[in-house]
Amino acid sequence: YKDVVALLKVTKLIHRSRPDIVHSHTSKAGSVSRVAAFFCNILRSKKIVVIHTFHGNVLYGYFGPIKSFMILMIERCLAMVTDRIIAISESQKWELSSFYKICKPNKIDTIKLGFNLNPFLNCNRQRGRLRSKLGISPDSVLIGIVGRMAPIKNHKMFLDSAKLLMKKSNNKPLKFILVGDGEERTFLESYVQSIGLTNHIVFHGWEKNISMIYADLDIVALTSVNEGTPVSVIEAMASKVPVVTTGVGGIKDLLGRIESLQPNRKEIFKICQRGILCPKNDPNTFSDALAYMINSEYLSSRTRFANAQDYVLKNYSVDRLILDMESLYEKLLIDNKV
């Protein structure tokens, strides 16, 4: 019922405002606005150009197989009435066109995300504030995960990895911080107690001054089972904080090529140009990757972190995003003779 009401209101808004372009984001809003634009295009002579950006997708990890299949069919139908689809990474473009077959590759443009990264470039000026606030010693290795607490983010795997890491860190003092909130928080707090990590885990909640968080983190972790291009990884790179993450969505593009010199052991994590990639749903390998970072010389590799910062500044700035989007809009308006 609410979806129908939203559809009617958005259709009315589009019909009244007569836009040249309707550009939608996220799954539900993208469905409603594209159907509304389709109705308006039937009723008017001047065509509205319809664009949709996939930041991630809800085709895996959110629902059961039947509902996921229904959503996939809906997305394929919506793609037929969409002039251009935007993927935020080359990996995601391949996923949408070749794996899920939403549409043909020539209908998808890759435009990376863009942010104001300036607050993260000098976040070291705030170093010590978070640790002082939480009573965490400067000697402790502080590992954080930043984001909403939802099943798709797989915080439980982060906690399982933390438990395993306690045995692999050569007795170095460890602290883990979960920054954010969400539907899973109550379960996660109970789970921490059940696995005996209460003294090592901090639930921080949301933080407006997010650069203060990165200033005191030694490692940023991400354990998602599905992603587009995660903001926390980009922010960590801009802050020169090393990253250990699952290799899902556009993360592989972010971390760059796999280096030739891998650890001479049985672990299956991959050391990349700008971080370490791990399989999803594998806390043991994830903890191995964290232990490798802590026990090797990895954390002292300042050149690697500086290169990661340079990479995100060049590829994920807000100015670059505006120019790319402006160019796409102009091209589509010309092609559609709007």
Short mmCIF file of all heavy atoms in Angstrom, two decimals, residues 79-137:
data_model
loop_
_atom_site.label_atom_id
_atom_site.label_comp_id
_atom_site.label_asym_id
_atom_site.label_seq_id
_atom_site.Cartn_x
_atom_site.Cartn_y
_atom_site.Cartn_z
N ALA A 79 15.20 -2.26 -16.25
CA ALA A 79 16.32 -1.89 -17.13
C ALA A 79 15.84 -1.59 -18.54
O ALA A 79 16.44 -0.78 -19.25
CB ALA A 79 17.36 -3.01 -17.15
N MET A 80 14.74 -2.21 -18.95
CA MET A 80 14.19 -1.99 -20.29
C MET A 80 13.64 -0.58 -20.46
O MET A 80 13.60 -0.05 -21.58
CB MET A 80 13.11 -3.03 -20.59
CG MET A 80 13.62 -4.47 -20.62
SD MET A 80 12.31 -5.70 -20.73
CE MET A 80 11.65 -5.33 -22.36
N VAL A 81 13.22 0.06 -19.36
CA VAL A 81 12.67 1.42 -19.43
C VAL A 81 13.65 2.44 -18.86
O VAL A 81 13.29 3.55 -18.54
CB VAL A 81 11.30 1.51 -18.71
CG1 VAL A 81 10.28 0.62 -19.39
CG2 VAL A 81 11.43 1.15 -17.23
N THR A 82 14.91 2.03 -18.73
CA THR A 82 15.97 2.90 -18.22
C THR A 82 16.94 3.19 -19.36
O THR A 82 17.40 2.27 -20.04
CB THR A 82 16.73 2.22 -17.06
OG1 THR A 82 15.79 1.82 -16.05
CG2 THR A 82 17.74 3.17 -16.44
N ASP A 83 17.23 4.47 -19.59
CA ASP A 83 18.12 4.84 -20.69
C ASP A 83 19.58 4.51 -20.39
O ASP A 83 20.34 4.16 -21.29
CB ASP A 83 17.97 6.34 -20.98
CG ASP A 83 16.59 6.67 -21.49
OD1 ASP A 83 16.27 6.30 -22.63
OD2 ASP A 83 15.80 7.29 -20.74
N ARG A 84 19.97 4.66 -19.14
CA ARG A 84 21.37 4.39 -18.78
C ARG A 84 21.44 3.90 -17.35
O ARG A 84 20.81 4.46 -16.45
CB ARG A 84 22.22 5.63 -18.92
CG ARG A 84 23.72 5.40 -18.74
CD ARG A 84 24.30 4.57 -19.86
NE ARG A 84 24.22 5.29 -21.14
CZ ARG A 84 24.58 4.77 -22.30
NH1 ARG A 84 25.05 3.53 -22.36
NH2 ARG A 84 24.47 5.45 -23.41
N ILE A 85 22.21 2.85 -17.13
CA ILE A 85 22.47 2.33 -15.79
C ILE A 85 23.91 2.66 -15.43
O ILE A 85 24.81 2.54 -16.27
CB ILE A 85 22.20 0.82 -15.72
CG1 ILE A 85 20.69 0.56 -15.76
CG2 ILE A 85 22.83 0.19 -14.48
CD1 ILE A 85 20.31 -0.90 -15.85
N ILE A 86 24.12 3.09 -14.20
CA ILE A 86 25.45 3.43 -13.73
C ILE A 86 25.92 2.41 -12.71
O ILE A 86 25.22 2.15 -11.73
CB ILE A 86 25.48 4.85 -13.12
CG1 ILE A 86 25.15 5.89 -14.19
CG2 ILE A 86 26.84 5.14 -12.49
CD1 ILE A 86 25.05 7.29 -13.66
N ALA A 87 27.06 1.83 -12.95
CA ALA A 87 27.74 0.98 -11.97
C ALA A 87 28.86 1.81 -11.34
O ALA A 87 29.41 2.71 -11.99
CB ALA A 87 28.32 -0.26 -12.63
N ILE A 88 29.18 1.53 -10.11
CA ILE A 88 30.19 2.34 -9.42
C ILE A 88 31.56 1.67 -9.42
O ILE A 88 32.50 2.19 -8.81
CB ILE A 88 29.75 2.67 -7.98
CG1 ILE A 88 29.45 1.41 -7.18
CG2 ILE A 88 28.53 3.58 -8.00
CD1 ILE A 88 29.09 1.67 -5.73
N SER A 89 31.69 0.56 -10.13
CA SER A 89 33.00 -0.08 -10.32
C SER A 89 32.92 -1.00 -11.52
O SER A 89 31.83 -1.41 -11.95
CB SER A 89 33.41 -0.88 -9.08
OG SER A 89 32.59 -2.03 -8.93
N GLU A 90 34.08 -1.35 -12.08
CA GLU A 90 34.10 -2.27 -13.21
C GLU A 90 33.64 -3.66 -12.80
O GLU A 90 32.99 -4.36 -13.57
CB GLU A 90 35.52 -2.33 -13.80
CG GLU A 90 35.91 -1.10 -14.58
CD GLU A 90 35.03 -0.84 -15.79
OE1 GLU A 90 34.60 -1.82 -16.43
OE2 GLU A 90 34.75 0.34 -16.08
N SER A 91 33.97 -4.05 -11.57
CA SER A 91 33.51 -5.36 -11.08
C SER A 91 32.00 -5.41 -11.01
O SER A 91 31.37 -6.42 -11.37
CB SER A 91 34.12 -5.65 -9.71
OG SER A 91 35.50 -5.79 -9.78
N GLN A 92 31.40 -4.31 -10.55
CA GLN A 92 29.94 -4.27 -10.47
C GLN A 92 29.31 -4.27 -11.86
O GLN A 92 28.28 -4.90 -12.07
CB GLN A 92 29.49 -3.04 -9.69
CG GLN A 92 27.99 -3.04 -9.41
CD GLN A 92 27.52 -1.76 -8.79
OE1 GLN A 92 27.77 -0.67 -9.30
NE2 GLN A 92 26.82 -1.87 -7.66
N LYS A 93 29.92 -3.58 -12.80
CA LYS A 93 29.41 -3.58 -14.18
C LYS A 93 29.39 -5.01 -14.72
O LYS A 93 28.40 -5.44 -15.34
CB LYS A 93 30.26 -2.68 -15.07
CG LYS A 93 29.80 -2.68 -16.53
CD LYS A 93 30.64 -1.73 -17.38
CE LYS A 93 30.18 -1.77 -18.84
NZ LYS A 93 30.90 -0.80 -19.68
N TRP A 94 30.48 -5.74 -14.52
CA TRP A 94 30.52 -7.14 -14.96
C TRP A 94 29.43 -7.95 -14.27
O TRP A 94 28.74 -8.77 -14.90
CB TRP A 94 31.89 -7.75 -14.67
CG TRP A 94 31.93 -9.22 -14.99
CD1 TRP A 94 32.21 -9.80 -16.19
CD2 TRP A 94 31.60 -10.30 -14.09
NE1 TRP A 94 32.09 -11.17 -16.10
CE2 TRP A 94 31.72 -11.50 -14.83
CE3 TRP A 94 31.23 -10.35 -12.74
CZ2 TRP A 94 31.48 -12.75 -14.26
CZ3 TRP A 94 30.98 -11.60 -12.17
CH2 TRP A 94 31.11 -12.78 -12.92
N GLU A 95 29.28 -7.74 -12.97
CA GLU A 95 28.30 -8.47 -12.19
C GLU A 95 26.88 -8.23 -12.71
O GLU A 95 26.10 -9.17 -12.90
CB GLU A 95 28.40 -8.04 -10.71
CG GLU A 95 27.71 -8.94 -9.72
CD GLU A 95 27.99 -8.50 -8.30
OE1 GLU A 95 27.63 -7.35 -7.97
OE2 GLU A 95 28.56 -9.28 -7.53
N LEU A 96 26.55 -6.96 -12.97
CA LEU A 96 25.20 -6.61 -13.42
C LEU A 96 24.93 -7.12 -14.83
O LEU A 96 23.83 -7.61 -15.12
CB LEU A 96 25.01 -5.10 -13.38
CG LEU A 96 25.01 -4.44 -12.00
CD1 LEU A 96 24.98 -2.92 -12.13
CD2 LEU A 96 23.83 -4.92 -11.16
N SER A 97 25.91 -7.04 -15.72
CA SER A 97 25.69 -7.39 -17.12
C SER A 97 25.91 -8.87 -17.41
O SER A 97 25.14 -9.48 -18.16
CB SER A 97 26.59 -6.55 -18.03
OG SER A 97 27.95 -6.78 -17.73
N SER A 98 26.94 -9.46 -16.83
CA SER A 98 27.32 -10.83 -17.19
C SER A 98 26.83 -11.89 -16.21
O SER A 98 26.50 -13.00 -16.61
CB SER A 98 28.85 -10.93 -17.31
OG SER A 98 29.33 -10.04 -18.30
N PHE A 99 26.79 -11.55 -14.92
CA PHE A 99 26.37 -12.54 -13.92
C PHE A 99 24.86 -12.51 -13.72
O PHE A 99 24.19 -13.53 -13.88
CB PHE A 99 27.10 -12.30 -12.60
CG PHE A 99 26.84 -13.36 -11.57
CD1 PHE A 99 27.48 -14.58 -11.64
CD2 PHE A 99 25.94 -13.13 -10.53
CE1 PHE A 99 27.23 -15.57 -10.69
CE2 PHE A 99 25.69 -14.11 -9.58
CZ PHE A 99 26.34 -15.33 -9.66
N TYR A 100 24.32 -11.33 -13.40
CA TYR A 100 22.87 -11.21 -13.18
C TYR A 100 22.11 -10.95 -14.47
O TYR A 100 20.88 -11.11 -14.50
CB TYR A 100 22.58 -10.11 -12.17
CG TYR A 100 23.05 -10.45 -10.76
CD1 TYR A 100 24.06 -9.72 -10.15
CD2 TYR A 100 22.49 -11.50 -10.05
CE1 TYR A 100 24.50 -10.01 -8.88
CE2 TYR A 100 22.92 -11.82 -8.78
CZ TYR A 100 23.92 -11.07 -8.19
OH TYR A 100 24.36 -11.37 -6.94
N LYS A 101 22.83 -10.50 -15.53
CA LYS A 101 22.22 -10.24 -16.83
C LYS A 101 21.05 -9.25 -16.72
O LYS A 101 19.97 -9.47 -17.30
CB LYS A 101 21.78 -11.55 -17.50
CG LYS A 101 22.93 -12.53 -17.70
CD LYS A 101 22.49 -13.75 -18.47
CE LYS A 101 23.63 -14.78 -18.56
NZ LYS A 101 24.85 -14.25 -19.15
N ILE A 102 21.27 -8.17 -15.98
CA ILE A 102 20.26 -7.12 -15.87
C ILE A 102 20.03 -6.46 -17.23
O ILE A 102 18.90 -6.18 -17.63
CB ILE A 102 20.71 -6.05 -14.85
CG1 ILE A 102 20.88 -6.67 -13.45
CG2 ILE A 102 19.73 -4.89 -14.80
CD1 ILE A 102 19.62 -7.15 -12.81
N CYS A 103 21.11 -6.20 -17.94
CA CYS A 103 21.03 -5.63 -19.27
C CYS A 103 22.37 -5.86 -19.96
O CYS A 103 23.31 -6.40 -19.36
CB CYS A 103 20.71 -4.13 -19.20
SG CYS A 103 22.00 -3.16 -18.38
N LYS A 104 22.49 -5.43 -21.20
CA LYS A 104 23.75 -5.59 -21.93
C LYS A 104 24.78 -4.59 -21.44
O LYS A 104 24.43 -3.50 -20.98
CB LYS A 104 23.50 -5.42 -23.43
CG LYS A 104 22.65 -6.54 -24.02
CD LYS A 104 22.49 -6.38 -25.51
CE LYS A 104 21.66 -7.53 -26.10
NZ LYS A 104 21.48 -7.39 -27.58
N PRO A 105 26.08 -4.93 -21.55
CA PRO A 105 27.14 -4.04 -21.04
C PRO A 105 27.12 -2.64 -21.64
O PRO A 105 27.49 -1.67 -20.97
CB PRO A 105 28.43 -4.78 -21.41
CG PRO A 105 28.02 -6.20 -21.60
CD PRO A 105 26.62 -6.18 -22.10
N ASN A 106 26.69 -2.51 -22.91
CA ASN A 106 26.73 -1.19 -23.55
C ASN A 106 25.68 -0.23 -23.01
O ASN A 106 25.67 0.94 -23.38
CB ASN A 106 26.59 -1.33 -25.07
CG ASN A 106 25.29 -2.00 -25.49
OD1 ASN A 106 24.41 -2.26 -24.68
ND2 ASN A 106 25.18 -2.30 -26.78
N LYS A 107 24.82 -0.72 -22.13
CA LYS A 107 23.84 0.16 -21.49
C LYS A 107 24.32 0.64 -20.12
O LYS A 107 23.64 1.42 -19.46
CB LYS A 107 22.50 -0.57 -21.34
CG LYS A 107 21.30 0.34 -21.15
CD LYS A 107 20.00 -0.43 -21.20
CE LYS A 107 18.82 0.52 -21.26
NZ LYS A 107 17.53 -0.19 -21.41
N ILE A 108 25.49 0.18 -19.71
CA ILE A 108 26.01 0.50 -18.38
C ILE A 108 27.26 1.36 -18.50
O ILE A 108 28.19 1.01 -19.23
CB ILE A 108 26.34 -0.79 -17.59
CG1 ILE A 108 25.12 -1.70 -17.51
CG2 ILE A 108 26.83 -0.44 -16.19
CD1 ILE A 108 25.39 -3.03 -16.81
N ASP A 109 27.28 2.47 -17.80
CA ASP A 109 28.47 3.29 -17.66
C ASP A 109 29.04 3.10 -16.26
O ASP A 109 28.28 2.95 -15.29
CB ASP A 109 28.17 4.78 -17.86
CG ASP A 109 28.03 5.14 -19.33
OD1 ASP A 109 28.21 4.24 -20.16
OD2 ASP A 109 27.73 6.30 -19.64
N THR A 110 30.35 3.10 -16.15
CA THR A 110 30.99 3.02 -14.84
C THR A 110 31.39 4.42 -14.40
O THR A 110 32.19 5.08 -15.07
CB THR A 110 32.24 2.12 -14.87
OG1 THR A 110 31.85 0.81 -15.29
CG2 THR A 110 32.89 2.04 -13.49
N ILE A 111 30.80 4.87 -13.30
CA ILE A 111 31.16 6.16 -12.71
C ILE A 111 31.41 5.91 -11.22
O ILE A 111 30.50 5.55 -10.48
CB ILE A 111 30.06 7.22 -12.89
CG1 ILE A 111 29.85 7.51 -14.38
CG2 ILE A 111 30.42 8.50 -12.15
CD1 ILE A 111 28.80 8.57 -14.66
N LYS A 112 32.64 6.10 -10.81
CA LYS A 112 33.01 5.84 -9.42
C LYS A 112 32.37 6.87 -8.49
O LYS A 112 32.01 7.96 -8.91
CB LYS A 112 34.53 5.87 -9.26
CG LYS A 112 35.25 4.81 -10.07
CD LYS A 112 36.75 5.02 -10.03
CE LYS A 112 37.48 4.02 -10.92
NZ LYS A 112 38.92 4.30 -10.98
N LEU A 113 32.24 6.48 -7.22
CA LEU A 113 31.72 7.39 -6.22
C LEU A 113 32.64 8.59 -6.03
O LEU A 113 33.81 8.55 -6.44
CB LEU A 113 31.57 6.66 -4.88
CG LEU A 113 30.58 5.48 -4.84
CD1 LEU A 113 30.64 4.82 -3.48
CD2 LEU A 113 29.17 5.94 -5.15
N GLY A 114 32.13 9.64 -5.43
CA GLY A 114 32.94 10.82 -5.15
C GLY A 114 32.60 11.39 -3.79
O GLY A 114 31.42 11.45 -3.41
N PHE A 115 33.61 11.81 -3.04
CA PHE A 115 33.41 12.31 -1.68
C PHE A 115 34.29 13.52 -1.43
O PHE A 115 35.30 13.73 -2.10
CB PHE A 115 33.78 11.24 -0.64
CG PHE A 115 33.10 9.92 -0.84
CD1 PHE A 115 33.71 8.90 -1.55
CD2 PHE A 115 31.84 9.69 -0.32
CE1 PHE A 115 33.09 7.69 -1.74
CE2 PHE A 115 31.21 8.48 -0.51
CZ PHE A 115 31.83 7.48 -1.21
N ASN A 116 33.91 14.27 -0.42
CA ASN A 116 34.81 15.28 0.12
C ASN A 116 35.75 14.58 1.09
O ASN A 116 35.38 14.29 2.23
CB ASN A 116 34.02 16.38 0.83
CG ASN A 116 34.94 17.40 1.50
OD1 ASN A 116 36.13 17.48 1.19
ND2 ASN A 116 34.39 18.17 2.43
N LEU A 117 36.95 14.31 0.65
CA LEU A 117 37.91 13.53 1.44
C LEU A 117 38.83 14.41 2.27
O LEU A 117 39.68 13.89 3.00
CB LEU A 117 38.74 12.63 0.52
CG LEU A 117 37.94 11.57 -0.25
CD1 LEU A 117 38.85 10.84 -1.24
CD2 LEU A 117 37.28 10.57 0.70
N ASN A 118 38.67 15.71 2.20
CA ASN A 118 39.58 16.63 2.91
C ASN A 118 39.65 16.37 4.42
O ASN A 118 40.74 16.45 5.00
CB ASN A 118 39.17 18.08 2.65
CG ASN A 118 39.46 18.50 1.22
OD1 ASN A 118 40.36 17.97 0.58
ND2 ASN A 118 38.68 19.44 0.71
N PRO A 119 38.52 16.06 5.10
CA PRO A 119 38.61 15.83 6.55
C PRO A 119 39.52 14.67 6.95
O PRO A 119 40.00 14.62 8.08
CB PRO A 119 37.16 15.53 6.95
CG PRO A 119 36.32 16.17 5.90
CD PRO A 119 37.12 16.01 4.63
N PHE A 120 39.78 13.75 6.00
CA PHE A 120 40.56 12.56 6.34
C PHE A 120 42.05 12.73 6.06
O PHE A 120 42.86 11.95 6.54
CB PHE A 120 40.02 11.35 5.56
CG PHE A 120 38.56 11.12 5.77
CD1 PHE A 120 37.63 11.54 4.83
CD2 PHE A 120 38.10 10.51 6.93
CE1 PHE A 120 36.28 11.34 5.03
CE2 PHE A 120 36.75 10.31 7.14
CZ PHE A 120 35.84 10.74 6.20
N LEU A 121 42.40 13.77 5.30
CA LEU A 121 43.79 13.92 4.89
C LEU A 121 44.69 14.32 6.05
O LEU A 121 45.87 13.98 6.06
CB LEU A 121 43.89 14.96 3.77
CG LEU A 121 43.03 14.68 2.53
CD1 LEU A 121 43.30 15.73 1.46
CD2 LEU A 121 43.29 13.28 1.99
N ASN A 122 44.13 15.04 7.01
CA ASN A 122 44.93 15.48 8.17
C ASN A 122 44.32 14.98 9.47
O ASN A 122 44.40 15.65 10.51
CB ASN A 122 45.01 17.01 8.18
CG ASN A 122 45.72 17.56 6.96
OD1 ASN A 122 46.85 17.18 6.68
ND2 ASN A 122 45.06 18.44 6.23
N CYS A 123 43.72 13.79 9.42
CA CYS A 123 43.05 13.28 10.61
C CYS A 123 44.04 12.95 11.72
O CYS A 123 43.65 12.83 12.89
CB CYS A 123 42.19 12.06 10.28
SG CYS A 123 43.12 10.62 9.75
N ASN A 124 45.35 12.81 11.37
CA ASN A 124 46.34 12.51 12.41
C ASN A 124 46.44 13.61 13.46
O ASN A 124 46.97 13.40 14.55
CB ASN A 124 47.71 12.24 11.79
CG ASN A 124 48.22 13.41 10.96
OD1 ASN A 124 47.46 14.29 10.59
ND2 ASN A 124 49.51 13.40 10.66
N ARG A 125 45.93 14.80 13.13
CA ARG A 125 45.90 15.88 14.11
C ARG A 125 44.99 15.54 15.30
O ARG A 125 45.10 16.14 16.37
CB ARG A 125 45.42 17.18 13.47
CG ARG A 125 46.36 17.72 12.38
CD ARG A 125 45.76 18.94 11.70
NE ARG A 125 46.63 19.46 10.64
CZ ARG A 125 46.30 20.44 9.82
NH1 ARG A 125 45.10 21.00 9.92
NH2 ARG A 125 47.15 20.84 8.88
N GLN A 126 44.07 14.60 15.09
CA GLN A 126 43.14 14.20 16.16
C GLN A 126 43.59 12.90 16.84
O GLN A 126 42.84 12.35 17.64
CB GLN A 126 41.74 14.01 15.58
CG GLN A 126 41.18 15.24 14.90
CD GLN A 126 39.73 15.07 14.54
OE1 GLN A 126 38.85 14.99 15.40
NE2 GLN A 126 39.44 14.99 13.25
N ARG A 127 44.79 12.45 16.53
CA ARG A 127 45.26 11.17 17.08
C ARG A 127 45.30 11.23 18.61
O ARG A 127 45.80 12.18 19.20
CB ARG A 127 46.64 10.85 16.52
CG ARG A 127 47.16 9.46 16.90
CD ARG A 127 48.33 9.08 16.03
NE ARG A 127 47.91 8.94 14.63
CZ ARG A 127 48.71 9.10 13.59
NH1 ARG A 127 49.97 9.46 13.78
NH2 ARG A 127 48.26 8.93 12.37
N GLY A 128 44.77 10.19 19.22
CA GLY A 128 44.75 10.08 20.68
C GLY A 128 43.43 10.44 21.31
O GLY A 128 43.15 10.02 22.44
N ARG A 129 42.59 11.20 20.59
CA ARG A 129 41.33 11.64 21.19
C ARG A 129 40.39 10.47 21.45
O ARG A 129 39.79 10.37 22.52
CB ARG A 129 40.64 12.66 20.28
CG ARG A 129 41.34 14.02 20.23
CD ARG A 129 40.59 14.99 19.34
NE ARG A 129 39.21 15.18 19.78
CZ ARG A 129 38.30 15.90 19.12
NH1 ARG A 129 38.64 16.49 17.97
NH2 ARG A 129 37.08 16.04 19.58
N LEU A 130 40.24 9.59 20.47
CA LEU A 130 39.34 8.45 20.63
C LEU A 130 39.84 7.51 21.72
O LEU A 130 39.07 7.08 22.59
CB LEU A 130 39.20 7.69 19.31
CG LEU A 130 38.33 6.43 19.36
CD1 LEU A 130 36.88 6.79 19.61
CD2 LEU A 130 38.46 5.64 18.05
N ARG A 131 41.12 7.18 21.70
CA ARG A 131 41.67 6.28 22.71
C ARG A 131 41.55 6.87 24.11
O ARG A 131 41.24 6.15 25.07
CB ARG A 131 43.13 5.97 22.38
CG ARG A 131 43.31 5.10 21.13
CD ARG A 131 44.78 4.91 20.78
NE ARG A 131 44.95 4.17 19.54
CZ ARG A 131 45.35 2.90 19.46
NH1 ARG A 131 45.66 2.24 20.56
NH2 ARG A 131 45.48 2.30 18.28
N SER A 132 41.78 8.16 24.22
CA SER A 132 41.63 8.81 25.52
C SER A 132 40.19 8.77 25.99
O SER A 132 39.91 8.50 27.17
CB SER A 132 42.12 10.26 25.42
OG SER A 132 41.92 10.95 26.64
N LYS A 133 39.27 8.99 25.08
CA LYS A 133 37.84 8.98 25.40
C LYS A 133 37.38 7.60 25.87
O LYS A 133 36.55 7.48 26.79
CB LYS A 133 37.06 9.41 24.16
CG LYS A 133 35.55 9.40 24.31
CD LYS A 133 34.89 9.82 23.00
CE LYS A 133 33.37 9.74 23.08
NZ LYS A 133 32.74 10.12 21.79
N LEU A 134 37.93 6.55 25.26
CA LEU A 134 37.48 5.18 25.56
C LEU A 134 38.39 4.46 26.55
O LEU A 134 38.12 3.32 26.91
CB LEU A 134 37.41 4.38 24.26
CG LEU A 134 36.44 4.90 23.19
CD1 LEU A 134 36.52 4.05 21.94
CD2 LEU A 134 35.01 4.94 23.72
N GLY A 135 39.47 5.09 26.97
CA GLY A 135 40.39 4.46 27.90
C GLY A 135 41.20 3.35 27.28
O GLY A 135 41.53 2.35 27.95
N ILE A 136 41.56 3.50 26.00
CA ILE A 136 42.36 2.50 25.29
C ILE A 136 43.79 2.97 25.25
O ILE A 136 44.08 4.09 24.84
CB ILE A 136 41.82 2.28 23.87
CG1 ILE A 136 40.38 1.77 23.92
CG2 ILE A 136 42.71 1.30 23.09
CD1 ILE A 136 39.71 1.68 22.57
N SER A 137 44.72 2.13 25.67
CA SER A 137 46.13 2.53 25.76
C SER A 137 46.73 2.73 24.37
O SER A 137 46.31 2.09 23.40
CB SER A 137 46.93 1.48 26.52
OG SER A 137 47.12 0.33 25.71
#
